Amino acid sequence: MPLHWKLVIDCADPHRQAAFWGAALDYTVEDHSTLITRLLGAGAVTPDALTEVDGHPVWRTLAAVRHPGDEYDPASDTGLGRRILFQAVPEAKQRSKNRLHLDVHAGPGGRAATVARLEALGATALHDVREPGGEWTVMRDPEGNEFCVH
C-alpha cells in the first residue's frame, strides 16, 4: 500500500508562502478555521498558537496548500493527497543551494508566460538553462527558495 506523504518547507512566513505557492500551482490554500474554532472551544489550543489572515483564525506557524482534485478531510480541510506544508522556523534560509526543490511544468510553449506570472506573484527569475535534456528557468520564491519552471 503506498504511503501518504506531504512536502514540508521551512520558512519565515508560512502564510505568505502558502499564498504564493497556492497561486503558483493553482492549489487550494487550506482553511483550518473550522478545526481551530472547534479546538479553541474545547480548550485544546490557546489563542497564542494562532494569528489571523483575511479575517480567519489560522495557525501562527503553519499553513498548507493541496491539489484541488485530491481528497481532503472536510472536518479540518487537511489535504489527503498532494500537499505542501509550510512551517515557520526561527533561522533564515542559508545561502547554499537547496538540496530539494520543486519543478513546475508549464506545458509546451508555456514557460515564458508561466515565468512572467510567477514573477508577478513575487518570484524572481535567476537564469535560463539550455541543455541537451531540456530547457528550464531557475527561479526563487518570495523567501529565496530555488525552483525550476520547465
Side-chain angles (χ1 to χ4, degrees):
M1 182 126 199
L3 295 175
H4 170 73
W5 61 272
K6 66 181 165 283
L7 176 64
V8 180
I9 299 177
D10 291 351
C11 61
D13 184 342
H15 302 287
R16 179 178 178 210
Q17 288 293 88
F20 170 80
W21 283 105
L25 299 173
D26 201 18
Y27 270 36
T28 300
V29 176
E30 294 180 355
D31 176 2
H32 303 128
S33 60
T34 301
L35 172 66
I36 289 169
T37 301
R38 189 170 59 245
L39 293 173
L40 275 171
V45 297
T46 58
D48 62 319
L50 309 171
T51 189
E52 190 174 293
V53 173
D54 297 329
H56 301 285
V58 296
W59 302 113
R60 182 175 302 283
T61 61
L62 298 169
V65 298
R66 60 180 164 79
H67 188 283
D70 289 351
E71 291 184 35
Y72 65 95
D73 174 13
S76 66
D77 204 44
T78 299
L80 303 173
R82 293 163 280 187
R83 183 175 189 241
I84 305 172
L85 176 70
F86 302 94
Q87 67 179 7
V89 296
E91 67 275 1
K93 180 190 180 303
Q94 301 299 310
R95 294 183 59 91
S96 62
K97 182 181 181 297
N98 293 353
R99 295 287 307 246
L100 175 76
H101 69 267
L102 296 176
D103 278 357
V104 176
H105 294 269
R111 183 164 49 104
T114 298
V115 167
R117 184 175 68 81
L118 296 174
E119 285 177 317
L121 291 171
T124 304
L126 299 177
H127 60 274
D128 291 324
V129 177
R130 287 178 178 80
E131 294 183 354
E135 297 181 8
W136 60 91
T137 301
V138 178
M139 301 188 78
R140 283 195 182 125
D141 73 13
E143 287 201 5
N145 301 300
E146 292 88 5
F147 67 98
C148 299
V149 178
H150 290 259

